[in-house]
């Protein structure tokens, strides 16, 4: 039990008070080092790892305010609580501004001190956990690259994360759009969650209920209320991936939510207010879709407040060598296999490639070689034929490919579904089902 709650440094020039508080805190599971002399206490502070410092303000050798300052210099995250006589409440208040977590006025009850300390420590621990999580996320989504183009994007991410304007990220498949969206969220101080949704992954009706949620009884099967992504992302960031596939039918509703930050769930009667930052991404030329009437112009302008265009890998080949190194390292760590090295001849060969699948394709290639090849050195003989290769990327969106193929077949046959189906080599009823599922009506 003793010490389980944390380790406390206690300083008060009144010996009897030190003894009483020490005993009281120890009974509550804290371990306590008590001092009457702040100078000696500080010496100890530098040697030990305390969770909190409780110090009196008025002491002959050194004031508690000075103790606070020195503790913070040594460890900016240390929690300091001040004990003050009624007469010096003013200085305690200014000490809070200087980084003290709390203060308590004499005389006080032991229960009160314990409660305040426990609360302050819990708060500090939650904050610490939160900061660790953010640091972890920023590392997980680190952008590797030293080209000018990537440097500019990194700067832009930091700059825009501080403001809440909506962002539209454009770039070919595999260029890092999702990474950029995550980074913007984790650099920002938005307290809510990062909620990704891929607009191409749902047929129209389902997407609507995914985004806005529904009330019990809104339709057959709606046997309870369900929160939509907008609500889940409240005070956070909603990442609308593949926004260009958002059905025209849903676009006005999204536009309204963006304008008013208010939406009504399906079957609901009251609009609900939310505070959501939107980051949208697309690998299609959305301006072209606007010109062709496939995407609403007003919605496009609402989303495109801050445009971020990620260039394809072939336009920043100088990043390829460090990306290779990064993926060799990452794969070896993740799969717990020995890291391989790569010859400069092999790197040169990879520099010649045009990387249609961009960074994802490069990552997949490295992973494949790491897993399948025994040799510890990657030379050109281990590289696949990169001149007329099949796409290495296994992550190209299947819905997307299917949609494209069906569109093409329908155009070629002037909308004759029977002929289109035979062109595609599938049964007519399958084609009908797919048209419905992919919302190609
Ligand atoms: N600059 C980079 N540094 C390190 N890894 C990267 C970088 N850019 C992309 N990646 C990695 O490449 C893969 C693809 O990135 P991401 O999913 O963000 O691409 P995308 O643009 O969203 O692709 P898609 O259009 O197919 O959805 C991920 O594994 C990501 O970690
Ligand atoms: Mg993506």
């Amino acid at each position: 039990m003793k010490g389980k709650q944390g380790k406390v440094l206690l300083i008060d020039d009144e010996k009897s008070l030190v003894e009483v508080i020490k005993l009281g805190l120890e009974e509550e599971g804290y371990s306590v080092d008590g001092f009457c002399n702040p100078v000696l206490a500080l010496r100890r502070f530098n040697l030990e790892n305390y969770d909190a410092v409780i110090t009196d303000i008025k002491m002959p050798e050194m004031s508690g305010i000075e103790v606070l300052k020195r503790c913070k210099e040594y460890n900016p995250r240390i929690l300091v609580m001040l004990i003050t006589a009624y007469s010096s409440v003013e200085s305690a208040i200014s000490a809070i501004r200087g980084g003290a977590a709390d203060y308590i006025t004499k005389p006080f009850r032991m229960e009160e001190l314990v409660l305040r300390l426990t609360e302050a420590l819990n708060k500090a621990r939650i904050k610490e956990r939160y900061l660790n999580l953010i640091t972890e996320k920023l590392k997980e989504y680190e952008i590797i690259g030293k080209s000018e183009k990537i440097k500019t994007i990194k700067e832009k991410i930091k700059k825009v994360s501080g403001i809440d304007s909506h962002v539209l990220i454009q770039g070919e498949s595999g260029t890092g759009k999702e990474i950029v969206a995550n980074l913007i969220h984790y650099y920002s101080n938005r307290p809510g969650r990062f909620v990704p949704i891929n607009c191409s992954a749902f047929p129209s009706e389902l997407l609507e209920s995914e985004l806005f949620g529904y009330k019990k009884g809104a339709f057959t099967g709606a046997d309870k209320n369900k929160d939509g992504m907008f609500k889940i992302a409240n005070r956070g960031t909603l990442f609308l991936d593949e926004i260009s596939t958002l059905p025209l039918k849903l676009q006005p509703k999204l536009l309204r939510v963006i304008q008013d930050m208010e939406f009504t769930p399906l079957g609901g009667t009251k609009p609900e207010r939310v505070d959501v930052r939107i980051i949208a991404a697309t690998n299609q030329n959305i301006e072209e879709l606007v010109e062709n009437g496939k995407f609403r112009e007003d919605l496009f302008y609402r989303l495109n407040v801050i445009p971020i265009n990620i260039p394809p890998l072939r336009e920043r080949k100088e990043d390829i060598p460090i990306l290779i190194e990064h993926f060799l390292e990452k794969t070896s760590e993740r799969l717990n296999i020995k890291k391989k090295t790569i010859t400069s001849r092999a790197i040169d060969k990879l520099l010649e490639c045009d990387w249609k699948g961009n960074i994802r394709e490069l990552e997949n290639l490295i992973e494949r070689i790491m897993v399948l090849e025994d040799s510890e050195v990657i030379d050109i003989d281990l590289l696949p034929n990169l001149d007329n290769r099949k796409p290495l990327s296994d992550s190209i969106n299947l819905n997307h490919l299917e949609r494209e193929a069906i569109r093409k077949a329908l155009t070629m046959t002037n909308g004759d579904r029977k002929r289109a189906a035979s062109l595609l080599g599938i049964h007519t009823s399958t084609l009908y089902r797919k048209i419905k599922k992919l919302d190609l009506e």
Side-chain angles (χ1 to χ4, degrees):
M1 175 81 178
K2 190 167 174 262
K4 198 177 102 217
Q5 301 284 7
K7 201 164 159 181
V8 178
L9 179 66
L10 170 67
I11 320 167
D12 197 310
D13 56 333
E14 217 177 297
K15 191 154 186 268
S16 58
L17 200 61
V18 170
E19 274 161 12
V20 172
I21 298 178
K22 183 173 156 68
L23 213 68
L25 286 177
E26 280 173 354
E27 255 167 32
E28 293 297 327
Y30 288 95
S31 97
V32 181
D33 290 332
F35 284 85
C36 293
N37 182 332
V39 179
L40 297 179
L42 279 177
R43 229 172 264 165
R44 184 62 162 273
F45 178 78
N46 290 343
L47 300 174
E48 305 268 344
N49 220 339
Y50 288 106
D51 297 297
V53 174
I54 303 178
T55 176
D56 189 17
I57 289 193
K58 247 189 163 155
M59 295 176 291
E61 293 88 355
M62 184 189 281
S63 88
I65 308 288
E66 184 63 24
V67 171
L68 164 72
K69 212 179 110 207
R70 299 218 186 162
C71 289
K72 286 275 171 188
E73 268 166 20
Y74 192 77
N75 173 8
R77 285 189 183 173
I78 186 72
L79 189 155
V80 181
M81 239 175 103
L82 298 162
I83 305 175
T84 161
Y86 184 68
S87 57
S88 52
V89 166
E90 280 306 315
S91 60
I93 292 171
S94 72
I96 298 256
R97 282 192 209 110
D102 203 355
Y103 71 90
I104 190 163
T105 29
K106 282 192 236 182
F108 53 82
R109 291 162 59 91
M110 199 53 217
E111 291 92 329
E112 197 189 348
L113 178 70
V114 171
L115 190 74
R116 297 264 204 106
L117 176 66
T118 311
E119 267 177 4
L121 270 173
N122 283 343
K123 229 159 87 189
R125 280 173 184 151
I126 289 170
K127 192 169 169 202
E128 179 93 16
R129 262 211 300 276
Y130 173 74
L131 290 177
N132 287 344
L133 182 83
I134 299 283
T135 315
E136 228 169 77
K137 288 285 182 190
L138 291 178
K139 186 154 178 269
E140 182 183 341
Y141 295 109
E142 187 187 358
I143 291 189
I144 306 297
K146 53 178 185 169
S147 58
E148 280 309 314
K149 286 176 171 147
I150 278 300
K151 275 191 202 151
T152 313
I153 286 177
K154 282 187 187 174
E155 279 160 20
K156 199 158 180 185
I157 290 172
K158 288 195 182 145
K159 209 178 277 169
V160 308
S161 58
I163 46 176
D164 287 337
S165 316
H166 303 320
V167 179
L168 180 64
I169 306 172
Q170 298 203 58
E172 288 179 11
S173 178
T175 45
K177 296 184 292 295
E178 187 146 3
I179 281 204
V180 170
N182 272 281
L183 280 177
I184 293 176
H185 173 72
Y186 289 110
Y187 272 121
S188 80
N189 282 322
R190 297 188 66 80
R193 291 171 50 184
F194 177 85
V195 180
I197 177 165
N198 189 327
C199 299
S200 76
F202 301 92
S204 183
E205 284 75 30
L206 208 56
L207 182 60
E208 185 171 7
S209 69
E210 282 295 316
L211 284 172
F212 307 110
Y214 54 75
K215 293 288 178 198
K216 183 178 170 180
F219 44 84
T220 21
D223 49 4
K224 55 179 187 281
N225 294 348
K226 180 184 147 84
D227 286 343
M229 296 298 190
F230 266 95
K231 182 137 183 208
I232 297 172
N234 194 18
R235 304 184 69 212
T237 305
L238 181 62
F239 176 49
L240 299 172
D241 203 359
E242 303 214 32
I243 187 74
S244 53
T245 65
L246 185 75
L248 264 174
K249 214 171 81 194
L250 275 183
Q251 293 183 15
K253 191 159 180 182
L254 180 64
L255 181 68
R256 256 192 328 266
V257 187
I258 296 178
Q259 277 168 348
D260 310 334
M261 276 300 146
E262 219 176 64
F263 67 93
T264 311
L266 296 174
T269 47
K270 282 199 308 274
E272 299 181 12
R273 280 208 77 74
V274 281
D275 162 20
V276 172
R277 184 204 205 159
I278 293 170
I279 302 179
T282 175
N283 55 20
Q284 279 176 285
N285 185 333
I286 198 163
E287 282 97 337
E288 217 165 77
L289 294 175
V290 169
E291 263 163 39
N292 298 333
K294 302 260 173 54
F295 201 88
R296 286 181 68 121
E297 192 175 16
D298 43 9
L299 180 58
F300 168 68
Y301 283 118
R302 282 281 169 178
L303 293 170
N304 196 35
V305 182
I306 296 173
I308 295 184
N309 295 310
I310 311 184
L313 189 54
R314 79 189 83 86
E315 286 175 20
R316 45 175 163 119
K317 286 192 171 172
E318 60 270 45
D319 288 341
I320 290 178
I322 56 171
L323 279 165
I324 293 173
E325 185 56 31
H326 170 72
F327 291 133
L328 286 171
E329 180 103 37
K330 192 170 136 185
T331 313
S332 113
E333 242 171 57
R334 189 164 54 86
L335 302 177
N336 198 17
I337 44 183
K338 192 160 185 303
K339 198 185 143 199
K340 296 189 195 310
T341 53
I342 183 164
T343 65
S344 50
R345 268 199 313 183
I347 294 183
D348 285 346
K349 188 89 188 146
L350 293 177
L351 282 167
E352 283 168 18
C353 194
D354 64 356
W355 300 111
K356 287 208 170 61
N358 290 293
I359 298 171
R360 181 180 294 114
E361 184 179 12
L362 178 63
E363 182 174 12
N364 289 351
L365 173 68
I366 299 293
E367 180 170 332
R368 182 182 295 189
I369 295 175
M370 284 282 285
V371 172
L372 297 182
E373 302 293 345
D374 294 324
S375 162
E376 283 189 10
V377 179
I378 304 173
D379 203 351
I380 34 179
D381 58 315
L382 294 193
L383 302 179
N385 182 1
L386 293 160
D387 302 324
N388 53 8
R389 67 202 187 283
K390 289 196 185 87
L392 286 164
S393 168
D394 51 12
S395 324
I396 289 176
N397 189 300
L398 258 185
N399 274 344
H400 230 90
L401 291 177
E402 212 168 62
R403 193 187 293 262
E404 281 316 305
I406 293 173
R407 269 212 194 109
K408 210 176 259 170
L410 286 169
T411 320
M412 284 165 73
T413 58
N414 281 325
D416 184 338
R417 294 186 176 185
K418 211 166 156 199
R419 274 177 51 222
S422 85
L423 252 184
L424 290 163
I426 56 177
H427 207 271
T428 320
S429 63
T430 312
L431 179 62
Y432 272 88
R433 222 178 42 243
K434 285 185 188 293
I435 287 177
K436 204 156 170 224
K437 186 184 122 211
L438 298 168
D439 206 36
L440 283 165
E441 297 277 5

